[in-house]
Coordinates of all heavy atoms in Angstrom, one line a residue:
K1 N -17.2 26.2 1.1 CA -15.8 25.9 1.7 C -15.5 24.5 1.5 O -14.4 24.1 1.1 CB -15.7 26.3 3.1 CG -14.4 26.1 3.7 CD -14.4 26.5 5.2 CE -13.0 26.2 5.9 NZ -13.0 26.6 7.3
F2 N -16.4 23.6 1.8 CA -16.3 22.1 1.6 C -16.0 21.8 0.1 O -15.1 21.1 -0.2 CB -17.5 21.4 2.2 CG -17.3 19.9 2.0 CD1 -16.7 19.1 3.0 CD2 -17.9 19.2 1.0 CE1 -16.6 17.8 3.0 CE2 -17.8 17.9 0.9 CZ -17.2 17.2 1.9
L3 N -16.9 22.3 -0.8 CA -16.7 22.0 -2.2 C -15.4 22.5 -2.7 O -14.8 21.9 -3.6 CB -18.0 22.5 -2.9 CG -19.3 21.9 -2.6 CD1 -20.5 22.7 -3.3 CD2 -19.3 20.4 -3.0
D4 N -15.0 23.7 -2.3 CA -13.7 24.2 -2.7 C -12.5 23.3 -2.3 O -11.6 23.1 -3.1 CB -13.5 25.6 -2.1 CG -14.4 26.6 -2.8 OD1 -14.9 26.4 -3.8 OD2 -14.5 27.7 -2.2
A5 N -12.6 22.8 -1.1 CA -11.5 21.9 -0.6 C -11.5 20.6 -1.5 O -10.4 20.0 -1.8 CB -11.7 21.5 0.8
I6 N -12.7 20.1 -1.8 CA -12.7 18.8 -2.6 C -12.2 19.2 -4.0 O -11.4 18.3 -4.6 CB -14.2 18.3 -2.8 CG1 -14.8 18.0 -1.4 CG2 -14.2 17.1 -3.7 CD1 -14.0 16.9 -0.7
G7 N -12.4 20.3 -4.6 CA -11.9 20.7 -5.8 C -10.4 20.8 -5.9 O -9.7 20.3 -6.8
R8 N -9.8 21.3 -4.8 CA -8.3 21.4 -4.7 C -7.7 20.0 -4.6 O -6.6 19.8 -5.0 CB -8.0 22.2 -3.4 CG -8.3 23.7 -3.6 CD -7.5 24.5 -2.5 NE -8.0 24.1 -1.2 CZ -9.0 24.7 -0.5 NH1 -9.7 25.7 -1.2 NH2 -9.4 24.4 0.6
E9 N -8.5 19.0 -4.0 CA -7.9 17.7 -3.9 C -7.8 17.1 -5.3 O -6.8 16.5 -5.7 CB -8.9 16.8 -3.1 CG -8.5 15.3 -3.0 CD -7.5 15.0 -2.1 OE1 -6.7 15.8 -1.6 OE2 -7.3 13.8 -1.7
F10 N -8.8 17.3 -6.1 CA -8.7 16.7 -7.5 C -7.7 17.4 -8.3 O -6.9 16.8 -9.1 CB -10.1 16.8 -8.2 CG -11.1 16.1 -7.6 CD1 -12.4 16.6 -7.4 CD2 -10.9 14.8 -7.1 CE1 -13.4 15.8 -6.8 CE2 -11.8 14.0 -6.5 CZ -13.2 14.5 -6.4
E11 N -7.5 18.8 -8.1 CA -6.5 19.5 -8.9 C -5.1 19.0 -8.5 O -4.2 18.8 -9.3 CB -6.6 21.0 -8.6 CG -7.8 21.6 -9.2 CD -8.0 23.1 -8.8 OE1 -7.0 23.6 -8.1 OE2 -9.0 23.7 -9.2
A12 N -4.9 18.7 -7.1 CA -3.6 18.2 -6.7 C -3.3 16.9 -7.3 O -2.1 16.6 -7.7 CB -3.5 18.2 -5.2
D13 N -4.3 16.0 -7.4 CA -4.1 14.7 -8.0 C -3.7 14.8 -9.4 O -2.7 14.1 -10.0 CB -5.3 13.8 -7.9 CG -5.2 12.5 -8.6 OD1 -4.5 11.7 -8.1 OD2 -5.8 12.4 -9.7
Q14 N -4.4 15.7 -10.2 CA -4.1 15.8 -11.6 C -2.7 16.4 -11.9 O -2.1 16.2 -12.9 CB -5.2 16.7 -12.3 CG -6.6 16.1 -12.3 CD -6.7 14.9 -13.1 OE1 -6.2 13.9 -12.9 NE2 -7.5 15.1 -14.2
Q15 N -2.2 17.2 -10.9 CA -0.9 17.9 -11.2 C 0.3 17.0 -10.7 O 1.4 17.3 -11.0 CB -0.9 19.2 -10.3 CG -1.8 20.2 -11.0 CD -2.0 21.4 -10.0 OE1 -1.4 21.5 -9.0 NE2 -2.9 22.3 -10.5
D16 N 0.0 16.0 -9.9 CA 1.1 15.1 -9.4 C 1.7 14.3 -10.5 O 1.1 13.6 -11.3 CB 0.5 14.1 -8.4 CG 0.4 14.8 -7.0 OD1 0.9 15.9 -6.8 OD2 -0.3 14.1 -6.1
A17 N 3.1 14.5 -10.6 CA 3.8 13.7 -11.6 C 3.9 12.3 -11.2 O 3.9 11.4 -12.0 CB 5.2 14.3 -11.9
E18 N 4.0 12.1 -9.9 CA 4.2 10.7 -9.4 C 2.9 10.4 -8.5 O 2.3 11.3 -7.9 CB 5.4 10.6 -8.5 CG 6.7 10.8 -9.2 CD 7.0 9.8 -10.3 OE1 6.5 8.6 -10.0 OE2 7.6 10.1 -11.3
P19 N 2.5 9.1 -8.5 CA 1.3 8.8 -7.6 C 1.6 9.0 -6.2 O 2.7 8.8 -5.7 CB 1.2 7.3 -7.9 CG 2.5 6.8 -8.4 CD 3.1 8.0 -9.2
R20 N 0.6 9.5 -5.5 CA 0.8 9.8 -4.0 C 0.8 8.4 -3.3 O 0.1 7.5 -3.7 CB -0.3 10.6 -3.5 CG -0.1 12.1 -3.8 CD -1.3 12.9 -3.3 NE -2.4 12.8 -4.3 CZ -3.7 12.8 -4.0 NH1 -4.1 12.9 -2.7 NH2 -4.6 12.6 -4.8
E21 N 1.5 8.4 -2.2 CA 1.5 7.3 -1.3 C 0.1 7.3 -0.6 O -0.3 8.3 0.0 CB 2.6 7.3 -0.3 CG 4.0 7.2 -0.9 CD 4.2 5.7 -1.3 OE1 3.6 4.8 -0.8 OE2 5.1 5.5 -2.1
A22 N -0.6 6.1 -0.5 CA -1.9 6.1 0.2 C -1.6 6.3 1.7 O -2.4 6.9 2.4 CB -2.5 4.8 0.0
A23 N -0.4 5.9 2.2 CA -0.2 6.1 3.7 C -0.1 7.5 4.0 O -0.1 7.9 5.2 CB 1.1 5.4 4.0
S24 N 0.2 8.4 3.1 CA 0.3 9.9 3.4 C -1.1 10.4 3.7 O -1.3 11.6 4.2 CB 0.9 10.7 2.3 OG 0.1 10.7 1.1
G25 N -2.1 9.7 3.3 CA -3.5 10.2 3.6 C -4.0 11.3 2.6 O -3.3 11.5 1.6
S26 N -5.0 11.9 3.0 CA -5.6 12.9 2.1 C -4.7 14.2 2.1 O -4.0 14.5 3.1 CB -7.0 13.3 2.6 OG -7.5 14.4 1.9
T27 N -4.8 15.0 1.1 CA -4.1 16.3 1.1 C -5.0 17.4 1.6 O -4.7 18.6 1.5 CB -3.7 16.7 -0.3 OG1 -4.8 16.7 -1.2 CG2 -2.7 15.6 -0.9
I28 N -6.2 17.1 2.2 CA -7.1 18.1 2.6 C -6.9 18.3 4.1 O -7.3 17.6 5.0 CB -8.6 17.7 2.4 CG1 -8.8 17.4 0.9 CG2 -9.6 18.6 2.9 CD1 -10.2 16.9 0.6
P29 N -6.2 19.4 4.5 CA -5.9 19.7 5.9 C -7.1 20.1 6.7 O -7.1 20.1 8.0 CB -4.9 20.8 5.8 CG -5.2 21.5 4.6 CD -5.6 20.5 3.6
E30 N -8.2 20.5 6.0 CA -9.4 21.1 6.7 C -10.4 20.0 7.2 O -11.4 20.3 7.8 CB -10.2 22.0 5.8 CG -9.4 23.2 5.3 CD -8.8 22.9 3.9 OE1 -8.6 21.7 3.5 OE2 -8.6 23.9 3.1
W31 N -10.0 18.7 6.9 CA -10.9 17.6 7.4 C -11.5 17.8 8.8 O -12.6 17.7 9.1 CB -10.3 16.3 7.3 CG -10.4 15.5 5.9 CD1 -9.6 14.4 5.6 CD2 -11.4 15.6 4.9 NE1 -10.0 13.9 4.4 CE2 -11.1 14.7 3.9 CE3 -12.4 16.5 4.6 CZ2 -11.8 14.5 2.7 CZ3 -13.1 16.4 3.4 CH2 -12.8 15.3 2.6
P32 N -10.5 18.0 9.8 CA -11.0 18.0 11.2 C -12.0 19.2 11.4 O -12.9 19.0 12.2 CB -9.7 18.3 12.0 CG -8.6 17.7 11.1 CD -9.1 18.0 9.7
E33 N -11.8 20.3 10.8 CA -12.8 21.4 11.1 C -14.0 21.3 10.2 O -15.0 21.9 10.6 CB -12.0 22.7 10.9 CG -11.6 23.0 9.5 CD -10.9 24.3 9.4 OE1 -9.7 24.3 9.8 OE2 -11.4 25.3 8.8
M34 N -14.0 20.6 9.1 CA -15.1 20.6 8.2 C -16.0 19.4 8.5 O -17.2 19.5 8.2 CB -14.6 20.5 6.7 CG -14.0 21.8 6.2 SD -13.9 21.8 4.4 CE -12.9 20.3 4.1
L35 N -15.5 18.3 9.0 CA -16.3 17.2 9.3 C -16.2 16.9 10.8 O -15.3 17.3 11.5 CB -15.8 15.9 8.5 CG -15.9 16.1 7.0 CD1 -15.3 14.9 6.3 CD2 -17.4 16.3 6.6
G36 N -17.1 16.1 11.3 CA -17.1 15.8 12.8 C -18.2 14.9 13.1 O -18.8 14.1 12.3
A37 N -18.7 15.1 14.3 CA -19.8 14.2 14.8 C -21.1 14.5 14.0 O -21.4 15.6 13.6 CB -20.1 14.5 16.3
A38 N -21.9 13.4 13.8 CA -23.2 13.5 13.1 C -24.2 13.9 14.2 O -24.2 13.4 15.3 CB -23.6 12.2 12.5
R39 N -25.1 14.8 13.8 CA -26.1 15.3 14.8 C -27.5 15.1 14.1 O -27.7 15.6 13.0 CB -25.9 16.7 15.1 CG -24.5 17.0 15.7 CD -24.4 18.4 16.4 NE -24.9 19.5 15.5 CZ -24.1 20.0 14.5 NH1 -23.0 19.5 14.2 NH2 -24.6 21.0 13.8

């Protein structure tokens, strides 16, 4: 699931006609559920 989300991030970048604004942050909505506290 994590690797698939990373792959979609790269595909979105390659398809963008215009550069994304850095202030918009990542296009990965799953960050909160996929990452968290280190144990």
